[in-house]
Amino acid sequence: MDLLLFSFAPQMVWLQLVLLVVGIAIVLWGADKLTDGAVGLAERMGISQLVIGLTIVAMGTSMPEFCVSLISALKGTPDLAVGNVVGSNIFNALLIVGCAALVAPITILHVTVKKDIPFALVASVVLLIMCMDGNIGRLDAAILAVFFILFMYFTLKGAKGEASPDEEKTPMSPLKASALVLVGLVCLILGSSVFVDNASALAHTLGVSDAVIGLTIVAGGTSLPELATSVVAARRGNSGIAIGNVLGSNVFNILFILGLTGLISPMTIQGITSLDLSMMVVSMIMLWLFSFTKYTIQRWEGAVLTAVFLGYISYLVYNAV
């Protein structure tokens, strides 16, 4: 099965390597601008960073997954959509939170532990159950879409009045904040596309299978925006955006992306094992448990999450190559 979105990958290997680095640089710069704009919007609108992370930032940084999955459905290969989402969610919960916590301990709000993480966990379990029969039909997809609407409703319902305004800091103008978010999103999507195309081309040159590429390189590449955004946000002390971005992206990936993709074309599960689906659920359980410890994900907990991810990827590559 040919991978999609190869338009940015040239034939020459050395040029692929150059563009790989360029793609990462664009993503990092875009994440920096997106974080600035998102924080500015949160302060200007009186909405908490967590809600901004769960909605605007999460949706924006999930655009690469959405593009890959939607195109997969339109081209008649919707199974790639499931592999992309499952791999991206594992990447988000383990490596992204792990790396962000290693940069700076992440403070977790009580509402996150009591509502947001459980909702993301429930979404993962629902997907696991739906995949047990080997396919996701239109009824399954409609259920996922309804769950997404409910998630957005309850998230936005309590959005106002949660922020703690900084009296000494002049809020960013709405126009500038919106422009930064837009520029950041464009750079994130463009940089991710360049990265995925060239990383995938290199993988094929090295003889790595499509199954491994889908769960590792493509999933990791489309999750680069989440990684860059969360690490930058953690470094700046914006824990709400760092954790909200991950949780919102995981919910968005499962409920919206697979919901819409499944409505367009029912999906047959291929190459995704029970281990992969179980790891997606386990990663959310670990994130939830670590959040209970003083409502902070410490650096050592971030190291554990990162180590588990590296172990999973090593096992996957070892058994698939």
Side-chain angles (χ1 to χ4, degrees):
M1 180 178 63
D2 293 329
L3 284 175
L4 306 173
L5 303 178
F6 257 63
S7 57
F8 290 104
Q11 296 295 321
M12 294 170 286
V13 175
W14 70 269
L15 192 52
Q16 292 172 1
L17 288 170
V18 172
L19 289 177
L20 198 68
V21 176
V22 170
I24 294 175
I26 294 174
V27 166
L28 291 174
W29 189 84
D32 190 68
K33 298 307 175 186
L34 177 63
T35 301
D36 284 343
V39 172
L41 284 175
E43 294 172 344
R44 171 64 65 172
M45 298 169 64
I47 298 176
S48 72
Q49 291 181 2
L50 176 62
V51 173
I52 291 291
L54 283 167
T55 54
I56 298 174
V57 179
M59 287 185 180
T61 56
S62 288
M63 283 299 105
E65 287 95 334
F66 177 69
C67 293
V68 170
S69 297
L70 183 59
I71 292 175
S72 297
L74 294 175
K75 288 193 173 184
T77 56
D79 52 289
L80 181 61
V82 180
N84 179 37
V85 166
V86 171
S88 294
N89 280 20
I90 294 172
F91 190 96
N92 289 350
L94 295 180
L95 187 63
I96 292 180
V97 176
C99 289
L102 285 173
V103 170
I106 301 176
T107 301
I108 309 295
L109 299 177
H110 287 215
V111 66
T112 302
V113 175
K114 294 179 179 178
K115 184 187 71 173
D116 300 318
I117 297 180
F119 199 101
L121 176 58
V122 168
S124 300
V125 173
V126 168
L127 179 59
L128 172 63
I129 294 173
M130 287 182 173
C131 291
M132 285 182 176
D133 61 356
N135 64 81
I136 297 178
R138 285 193 169 89
L139 178 59
D140 295 327
I143 293 173
L144 293 177
V146 170
F147 269 110
F148 177 74
I149 293 174
L150 290 175
F151 169 74
M152 291 300 298
Y153 172 76
F154 286 114
T155 298
L156 295 176
K157 184 179 180 181
K160 285 289 184 179
E162 295 180 10
S164 53
D166 187 348
E167 299 294 341
E168 300 180 358
K169 184 177 179 181
T170 303
M172 185 182 298
S173 70
L175 181 60
K176 180 180 179 180
S178 299
L180 286 175
V181 169
L182 180 60
V183 170
L185 290 180
V186 171
C187 290
L188 288 171
I189 295 171
L190 176 62
S192 299
S193 297
V194 172
F195 173 85
V196 171
D197 291 348
N198 289 278
S200 300
L202 282 171
H204 277 295
T205 301
L206 298 174
V208 180
S209 68
D210 284 342
V212 174
I213 293 173
L215 282 167
T216 55
I217 295 178
V218 174
T222 55
S223 291
L224 268 181
E226 287 93 336
L227 175 60
T229 301
S230 292
V231 169
V232 170
R235 178 170 58 84
R236 295 185 174 188
N238 304 129
S239 296
I241 286 181
I243 193 68
N245 174 44
V246 168
L247 296 176
S249 294
N250 278 19
V251 172
F252 186 84
N253 288 348
I254 294 175
L255 301 184
F256 181 79
I257 293 179
L258 291 186
L260 180 58
T261 302
L263 288 173
I264 294 174
S265 176
M267 294 172 282
T268 300
I269 311 302
Q270 297 179 1
I272 307 300
T273 66
S274 57
L275 172 64
D276 303 316
L277 293 166
S278 298
M279 181 57 68
M280 177 182 63
V281 175
V282 169
S283 64
M284 287 308 307
I285 293 176
M286 290 183 64
L287 180 58
W288 197 17
L289 292 176
F290 283 162
S291 298
F292 276 107
T293 56
K294 299 180 180 179
Y295 288 93
T296 303
I297 298 180
Q298 303 287 352
R299 283 191 170 90
W300 73 266
E301 293 170 324
V304 171
L305 292 172
T306 303
V308 171
F309 174 80
L310 294 176
Y312 164 71
I313 291 298
S314 299
Y315 174 85
L316 191 67
V317 173
Y318 177 79
N319 286 276
V321 173

